[in-house]
Amino acid sequence: MSARIDLHLHTTASDGTLSPAELLALVAENGIALMAVTDHDTLAGYRELAAMGTGQVQLLCGIEWSARWSGGEVHVVGLGMDPQAPALQATIDRQQALRPERASRMAERLAKCGIADALAGASAIAAGGSIGRVHFARYLVQCGVVHSEDEAFRRYLGDGARAHVRCEWPMLDEVIAWTQAAGGVAVLAHPMKYRLTRTKLAGLMAEFAEAGGDAVEWPLFPAGQQKDTQRWLAKQLRSHGLGLSVGSDFHGQDSRWNRPGKVAQVLPEGIEPVWSRWLPVDGVASP
Ligand code: AMP
Ligand code: MN
Ligand code: MN
Ligand code: MN
């Protein structure tokens, strides 16, 4: 890939730790030509950067939708929407209303576990951003209840853990439709992070394609490993006519996250990269 691209990045508008301006500085430092701010269920971080201007870096409107699929939760990255599209902000407002509701219920569960004031604590950490489990995890670390955010997810916040609350997110096909109605493309985020069997994951990608989904985020296979999985995934994408996207899913500068621009550089052949519609031809992938 000749140009540097990162189409999955978080800011303090959701659960990232850098402000939009701080993120832009880091993105520019890493030589990225095309970026998308994709905060969870909000465009606030994108809007702030768009208003500021991003200089040499081309900025795409982005979002990471939370959605329901087969009793679990999956994420869909929407890219290149028109931020002024009618209905888009109303849809986001509806999605946003679900988060404080879930937060209150999580705090009630945590209180039953003997952890007081979690709603106030997590809200203070979210500081007006799209409140989520990461803010609770940081609060639990702050209180000394757990040693790490990872432990907070394992013991309290993760799927099936003591304070986990199932959220009535919209269905997969709905978030795809919202994205496309606003002129964007719908990308299934981090397919290998759902801890699904191959059969389940194949089912998810088939349904995603059937619902009109456009592309799948191509994972950063460490040092080109898991060749067999790479071949399998590429075959899935080709058979469903899905394109691909890349993104670091950067949330902050601690060791758990890849830095902006740390995305797969070698991409499977014969699969359309979503960014070919936004980058000039010489920036298109050439694996
Ligand atoms: P939410 O959107 O509020 O359900 O939170 C989901 C977010 O939690 C993901 O986007 C990650 O940023 C974060 N997350 C998920 N699992 C873990 C984990 N084990 N440790 C730390 N952060 C996690
Ligand atoms: Mn997150
Ligand atoms: Mn995600
Ligand atoms: Mn993400």
Side-chain angles (χ1 to χ4, degrees), residues 8-10 14-15 38-40 64 75 77 189-190 193 217 248-251 257:
H8 190 158
L9 295 157
H10 293 272
S14 67
D15 55 7
T38 55
D39 279 307
H40 297 285
E64 184 172 12
H75 289 170
V77 166
H190 43 64
K193 280 206 188 155
E217 213 170 64
S248 61
D249 202 8
F250 174 80
H251 281 69
W257 303 105

Side-chain angles (χ1 to χ4, degrees), residues 163-210:
H164 183 260
V165 173
R166 200 160 288 288
C167 197
E168 293 298 299
W169 298 122
M171 302 305 286
L172 184 61
D173 55 344
E174 291 181 89
V175 302
I176 295 171
W178 296 340
T179 305
Q180 295 173 342
V185 301
V187 178
L188 180 68
H190 43 64
M192 307 312 289
K193 280 206 188 155
Y194 302 120
R195 297 202 192 111
L196 297 172
T197 60
R198 277 197 187 179
T199 311
K200 275 287 242 183
L201 184 54
L204 168 58
M205 290 187 286
E207 269 189 51
F208 181 77
E210 216 165 283

Side-chain angles (χ1 to χ4, degrees), residues 243-285:
L244 62 77
S245 181
V246 292
S248 61
D249 202 8
F250 174 80
H251 281 69
Q253 281 165 306
D254 64 77
S255 56
R256 286 175 308 130
W257 303 105
N258 287 318
R259 63 169 168 73
K262 184 112 170 93
V263 302
Q265 296 298 314
V266 180
L267 299 170
E269 279 169 28
I271 301 174
E272 173 87 0
V274 287
W275 58 85
S276 56
R277 68 197 80 196
W278 300 299
L279 262 196
V281 176
D282 65 351
V284 170

Side-chain angles (χ1 to χ4, degrees), residues 10 15 40-41 64 66 73 75 99 102 106 131-134 137 149-151 153-154 169 190 195 249 251 256-257:
H10 293 272
D15 55 7
H40 297 285
D41 305 307
E64 184 172 12
S66 312
E73 197 182 306
H75 289 170
R99 287 189 167 265
R102 179 185 61 156
M106 279 197 286
I131 193 166
R133 286 183 285 169
V134 171
E149 290 177 30
D150 204 44
E151 188 186 345
F153 272 86
R154 226 173 27 247
W169 298 122
H190 43 64
R195 297 202 192 111
D249 202 8
H251 281 69
R256 286 175 308 130
W257 303 105

